[in-house]
Amino acid sequence: MELFSEAVEYLKAYGISPVTEDEMMDSDLLHDVFPEESDWGSHGSMQTEPCLPSTPTNDNPDDLLQKRMVVLKRVLLSEEIYLMELETLLTVNQLGVYRGFIDNYENAVKIVQKCMLSDQRFRILAESMMSSKSSDNVKTKYTFEALLYKPLDRVMKTTLVLHDLWKHTPPEHPDSITLQEALRLSSSFMSGVNERSQCKQPVMLCRGERRQLMRDGFVVDVCESGHNLRHLFLYTDMLLCAKLTNAGRQAQYRFCWYLPLVGLKLHWTAEHLPSSEYQMKISKTRVKMYQLKQALLQHMKGSKGSVSRAVDRLRRKLEECEIWLLTNTPSFTLDLHSTSGKSHTVRLLSLYDLNEWKDAIEKQCGNCIETVPPDLLSVTSSCIKLRMTQQPPLHCVQSNESAQICGSLYVMVQSACGLQHPSSAYVCVEVDGFECYDRRKQTSLSAFCVTPQWDEELVFIVDGAKQLFLVFVCQYENDTQNDIVGRTVLNLDPDNMFKKWKKVTCSLGHVDVTLSLKYVPHPLEPPSTTPILQEPVFCVPIGQVAMQESVLVPHIVRSCVEEVERRGLKEEGIYRISGASTEIQALKYAFNTNYREAVSKLRSVDVNAVSGTLKLYFRELPLPLIPCEHFSELSDALDIADPFVRADSLLSLLQSLPDVNRNTLLFLLHHLRRVAERKEENKMSLSNLATVFGPSLLRPPVSRVDISQEVEVQVQVIFLYLQFQNLPEALLTKHLDIDDLES
């Protein structure tokens, strides 16, 4: 009790009151002691070998001495603060041999933590250490545990400062040899500290648990200085980002940043397409990578298994290209926001990888209640032995090519079931392999429903692919954040991949997705240097649009119809009242340039603009949906007196239309009938709808001049088709030759 009273009097003598019980949990107490990056934080964790420049610097002696003076000033300031911190620490205990103190650091921390939990008086003392002898007489508050860390942190900083001094000292300066020897001794000392730190047990947290590595992998750190490939480590209580380096033959990690998991918020998004110039740079890098791979294969054949210098050089260049593509190709980003106000953004290499990381971090955040400020030196040093991922995901360094596929991989995404609530959904499909070709494609957004259907064919040019990744993403109404429902991975075995379609049902969380696969092996052509642009759909023959999309009913027709049925069936005057011209033109431009953006716009514009866009599409077809050569036959069929014979004649003419025209017309007719079923609300009967659409769907030959007769034929033909009781259903895609497989 006397010691406690003396400690309290000591604190009061400096004008500082001991912390209260409410202040004990204040996380800001350690903020000044454990900054994310120290003055020399950019150097990262300590290396176990002397980190000497391989060649002398080219700066002149005067510049070097000026830089040396800057470093020395920083040393003096840092040492002054450090001596004050040590003096504060000496008020509790006398330091023995420096090496012995460092060796006993973790035991000392454990004892302090144990005493803080068992004795409230010790806890008040340990959280109220003060240092107040700075030049400006500003008092600084430290915890006992933070002060214990200071000597350990100083070892790393001292070695880094010696390195900076030696680097900026001219070789002929008398201090050069002395600094080099001091750096060697300091690095040797640090090597022993790192060796023991890596062999020690994980850090003990306050709840009696140990800090363990849960997951690690390579990501792209997105910051103002650029995009950099980094190694991300998920521990029990924090995220640690480090840079992998090689000092000599031994791998090392340099600290970049860390975030505690307590209160961590996550938000993911897809990156926008870069500019055309940047896309061109990506395309040229892919071409270069393809050329390097071909040259490497030729050298490998000529060397008969031996590794020559040329082979080694080509591999290094190939690796550089792949790393550049990994770090610069747009993908998906994960924003990490800490309660302290610090944020970091990482780019994941695939949506599948992002979802795995997101799930792992959120699960660990839910289990993390409190945290202990990490010993960044020991944690970063231990990453070498704890890591589960040894190398970045570079395909060029993989040697096993016996079970890889090269050629065209066709993925027909058909439908899904199992959704609990109506949503607009899409499936993201990704493949691994070389970065020479696009490795990610996705379906369009479906209509809002619980059983989405796409029937979209995605074609991949694959080079060395082994796996196919599927991710199911939902967009619920009035929800701006997309929700990843589930994911799965399919192994691509060339021995079981054939030229015939194979139907597969995959479980992605609680959703089952049906798709079909087909693989056609063939020699690979160099990737195109021209960015792939979407072909326009307006003012283009409907057969050409359907062929581009590998469907029987163009996506623009399906998307507009689905949106009208979602929120326009009760709209009075739907298809009769025109939407805003600016919105219709904006939708037209979006459908011509970026289909996914167009579907997104459909969700937000006035529903009359959606119906107006659909009418505009049919009106601007260069050839009408019902070809002009059928106009006379349809006109003659209307003159048939017998209604049954007339119906048979009209139905026969309908069946004679080209596949795309026939199925698109049937799809539209069934939709208009569903609109007319709500005529009491929308005031649009079958007759009104036929009047609106007749002139756009059926046009006479140019030679005809009787306009009144033409309009009558146009309206009557569509009206009679809408009245058919046995109107055939439309096919959305072509029939595939599919051999069913077990799910």
Side-chain angles (χ1 to χ4, degrees):
M1 187 63 187
E2 293 180 0
L3 177 61
F4 176 75
S5 300
E6 291 178 5
V8 171
E9 292 299 325
Y10 164 78
L11 295 173
K12 290 181 178 180
Y14 283 94
I16 301 297
S17 300
V19 294
T20 64
E21 188 70 27
D22 294 335
E23 293 174 325
M24 289 181 184
M25 302 306 295
D26 187 357
S27 60
D28 292 336
L29 289 175
L30 299 179
H31 178 71
D32 292 331
V33 183
F34 292 95
E36 290 196 20
E37 294 189 20
S38 61
D39 290 340
W40 295 282
S42 59
H43 292 276
S45 60
M46 195 54 242
Q47 299 177 351
T48 60
E49 296 182 8
C51 183
L52 305 181
S54 56
T55 56
T57 177
N58 294 326
D59 292 346
N60 61 58
D62 292 338
D63 291 339
L64 287 174
L65 289 174
Q66 187 175 2
K67 293 178 181 178
R68 168 187 164 92
M69 184 61 65
V70 172
V71 175
L72 285 173
K73 287 181 179 179
R74 295 172 65 190
V75 171
L76 291 175
L77 178 61
S78 178
E79 290 298 327
E80 182 182 1
I81 297 173
Y82 179 53
L83 288 174
M84 284 185 281
E85 291 164 347
L86 283 183
E87 186 173 325
T88 303
L89 182 60
L90 286 171
T91 62
V92 180
N93 189 20
Q94 295 294 326
L95 291 179
V97 181
Y98 195 69
R99 183 66 168 264
F101 177 86
I102 292 179
D103 290 343
N104 196 52
Y105 166 72
E106 288 191 4
N107 291 330
V109 171
K110 291 179 181 178
I111 294 173
V112 170
Q113 292 174 347
K114 183 178 179 180
C115 293
M116 289 175 64
L117 293 174
S118 61
D119 193 329
Q120 181 179 355
R121 297 173 301 174
F122 183 86
R123 183 176 183 178
I124 294 175
L125 173 63
E127 292 185 345
S128 304
M129 308 297 294
M130 301 304 303
S131 173
S132 58
K133 293 186 178 181
S134 59
S135 58
D136 54 2
N137 205 29
V138 175
K139 300 178 179 64
T140 305
K141 183 185 293 185
Y142 294 117
T143 67
F144 192 5
E145 184 178 344
L147 287 169
L148 287 175
Y149 177 71
K150 285 294 180 178
L152 186 65
D153 181 55
R154 202 63 196 168
V155 181
M156 178 176 66
K157 288 186 176 180
T158 300
T159 308
L160 294 173
V161 172
L162 285 172
H163 174 270
D164 284 346
L165 278 174
W166 188 87
K167 179 180 178 181
H168 299 304
T169 300
E172 65 276 7
H173 195 281
D175 290 347
S176 179
I177 298 177
T178 304
L179 286 172
Q180 186 172 350
E181 178 62 17
L183 179 59
R184 185 190 66 80
L185 293 174
S186 179
S187 298
S188 177
F189 178 87
M190 196 65 241
S191 177
V193 174
N194 280 347
E195 183 65 26
R196 286 186 302 280
S197 175
Q198 293 177 17
C199 298
K200 290 180 180 178
Q201 296 179 342
V203 176
M204 181 73 73
L205 303 180
C206 291
R207 293 177 294 154
E209 298 180 1
R210 295 185 181 276
R211 178 177 289 129
Q212 298 178 347
L213 180 63
M214 311 304 295
R215 177 185 176 87
D216 72 295
F218 285 87
V219 301
V220 177
D221 186 23
V222 180
C223 55
E224 293 181 357
S225 60
H227 300 166
N228 303 295
L229 194 64
R230 296 289 184 258
H231 204 147
L232 189 63
F233 296 87
L234 173 62
Y235 284 93
T236 315
D237 61 331
M238 70 171 183
L239 273 172
L240 174 71
C241 182
K243 177 183 178 181
L244 179 63
T245 62
N246 290 302
R249 294 184 178 180
Q250 187 171 3
Q252 300 285 339
Y253 278 106
R254 291 186 176 182
F255 170 79
C256 294
W257 52 262
Y258 89 97
L259 291 174
L261 294 186
V262 174
L264 190 67
K265 301 297 182 182
L266 287 76
H267 180 272
W268 74 274
T269 185
E271 291 185 305
H272 297 293
L273 288 176
S275 63
S276 57
E277 293 81 7
Y278 201 81
Q279 291 186 59
M280 179 64 69
K281 188 175 181 180
I282 292 175
S283 299
K284 289 182 177 179
T285 305
R286 287 177 171 174
V287 172
K288 181 180 178 181
M289 187 175 178
Y290 173 87
Q291 295 170 345
L292 288 170
K293 186 193 174 189
Q294 298 303 313
L296 178 62
L297 292 175
Q298 292 180 358
H299 277 81
M300 291 290 289
K301 291 179 181 179
S303 60
K304 298 181 179 180
S306 62
V307 180
S308 63
R309 290 184 178 180
V311 170
D312 189 55
R313 184 170 60 254
L314 286 170
R315 282 179 174 171
R316 287 199 303 270
K317 290 183 178 180
L318 193 61
E319 182 177 338
E320 291 173 0
C321 287
E322 191 165 6
I323 289 177
W324 189 91
L325 288 171
L326 285 176
T327 54
N328 290 278
T329 302
S331 183
F332 300 90
T333 58
L334 186 62
D335 296 326
L336 308 166
H337 302 282
S338 174
T339 53
S340 66
K342 293 182 172 60
S343 300
H344 291 281
T345 299
V346 295
R347 174 195 288 166
L348 282 303
L349 307 181
S350 68
L351 184 57
Y352 186 94
D353 195 28
L354 180 142
N355 187 226
E356 283 191 323
W357 270 104
K358 182 173 178 291
D359 286 351
I361 295 174
E362 289 178 339
K363 178 181 178 181
Q364 205 55 43
C365 287
N367 298 331
C368 188
I369 301 176
E370 54 187 336
T371 183
V372 172
D375 175 2
L376 297 178
L377 171 66
S378 58
V379 174
T380 306
S381 299
S382 65
C383 288
I384 286 293
K385 290 192 175 182
L386 294 177
R387 61 178 178 170
M388 295 171 280
T389 305
Q390 302 296 322
Q391 296 291 338
L394 302 179
H395 198 80
C396 60
V397 300
Q398 300 177 11
S399 58
N400 181 22
E401 299 188 4
S402 58
Q404 301 173 352
I405 66 173
C406 297
S408 295
L409 178 64
Y410 299 84
V411 182
M412 174 69 76
V413 183
Q414 292 156 317
S415 59
C417 62
L419 283 173
Q420 304 299 318
H421 305 283
S423 68
S424 185
Y426 69 87
V427 178
C428 180
V429 184
E430 301 168 319
V431 295
D432 58 359
F434 278 95
E435 287 274 350
C436 298
Y437 308 94
D438 288 329
R439 304 197 305 180
R440 180 188 308 107
K441 297 179 184 291
Q442 66 186 50
T443 66
S444 59
L445 278 170
S446 70
F448 275 84
C449 60
V450 293
T451 56
Q453 186 168 352
W454 300 276
D455 294 316
E456 288 189 44
E457 182 180 88
L458 309 177
V459 183
F460 295 88
I461 302 298
V462 292
D463 184 4
K466 291 183 178 180
Q467 292 180 314
L468 180 75
F469 305 91
L470 303 172
V471 182
F472 191 90
V473 184
C474 284
Q475 184 182 75
Y476 298 102
E477 198 149 12
N478 301 323
D479 192 355
T480 57
Q481 174 68 58
N482 290 343
D483 182 24
I484 300 178
V485 174
R487 64 180 185 271
T488 191
V489 57
L490 299 178
N491 292 321
L492 301 176
D493 185 359
D495 295 333
N496 294 324
M497 302 283 292
F498 302 99
K499 293 183 178 180
K500 298 180 68 175
W501 287 97
K502 296 293 180 180
K503 188 176 182 181
V504 182
T505 300
C506 305
S507 294
L508 284 74
H510 58 267
V511 176
D512 291 335
V513 175
T514 301
L515 64 151
S516 301
L517 303 175
K518 183 174 71 172
Y519 167 55
V520 179
H522 60 76
L524 299 177
E525 297 292 331
S528 173
T529 56
T530 304
I532 299 177
L533 301 177
Q534 178 180 305
E535 296 291 337
V537 295
F538 277 81
C539 303
V540 178
I542 193 170
Q544 182 178 332
V545 173
M547 184 174 62
Q548 292 169 183
E549 299 175 351
S550 300
V551 294
L552 291 175
V553 179
H555 288 134
I556 181 176
V557 177
R558 293 171 57 180
S559 298
C560 292
V561 164
E562 289 166 351
E563 188 63 20
V564 169
E565 293 191 0
R566 184 175 75 89
R567 56 190 179 99
L569 293 181
K570 297 181 180 180
E571 184 76 15
E572 183 174 341
I574 189 70
Y575 286 119
R576 178 173 53 82
I577 299 176
S578 179
S581 175
T582 54
E583 290 186 335
I584 294 175
Q585 291 301 318
L587 283 173
K588 175 183 176 180
Y589 176 79
F591 273 113
N592 276 336
T593 57
N594 190 326
Y595 175 71
R596 290 183 177 82
E597 179 184 343
V599 174
S600 179
K601 284 181 178 292
L602 284 178
R603 306 287 190 259
S604 58
V605 300
D606 178 58
V607 70
N608 288 310
V610 178
S611 62
T613 302
L614 182 62
K615 291 189 296 181
L616 179 65
Y617 172 74
F618 286 118
R619 190 162 61 246
E620 291 191 351
L621 283 175
L623 299 175
L625 190 61
I626 302 177
C628 296
E629 55 266 26
H630 292 280
F631 188 91
S632 297
E633 296 174 277
L634 290 169
S635 179
D636 294 340
L638 294 178
D639 296 333
I640 299 176
D642 190 325
F644 295 102
V645 177
R646 182 174 64 234
D648 288 341
S649 178
L650 288 173
L651 187 59
S652 177
L653 289 170
L654 175 63
Q655 296 289 6
S656 67
L657 298 180
D659 287 347
V660 173
N661 301 59
R662 180 179 69 255
N663 285 284
T664 302
L665 178 59
L666 289 171
F667 182 81
L668 179 64
L669 292 172
H670 281 289
H671 163 63
L672 296 179
R673 288 168 62 159
R674 289 189 289 271
V675 173
E677 289 174 1
R678 309 290 288 270
K679 63 182 178 181
E680 297 299 327
E681 298 169 278
N682 58 40
K683 311 301 181 184
M684 294 300 291
S685 62
L686 291 178
S687 176
N688 291 338
L689 293 168
T691 302
V692 171
F693 277 92
S696 299
L697 302 179
L698 176 62
R699 303 174 204 163
V702 179
S703 58
R704 300 178 66 94
V705 294
D706 191 344
I707 297 178
S708 60
Q709 183 182 2
E710 292 171 359
V711 173
E712 182 180 355
V713 172
Q714 293 166 333
V715 173
Q716 285 299 314
V717 167
I718 300 302
F719 181 64
L720 288 174
Y721 278 138
L722 287 171
Q723 291 181 307
F724 276 6
Q725 297 299 319
N726 57 343
L727 193 66
E729 290 292 334
L731 295 176
L732 302 181
T733 59
K734 294 181 179 179
H735 175 72
L736 301 178
D737 181 16
I738 298 177
D739 295 331
D740 289 341
L741 298 178
E742 293 184 2
S743 300

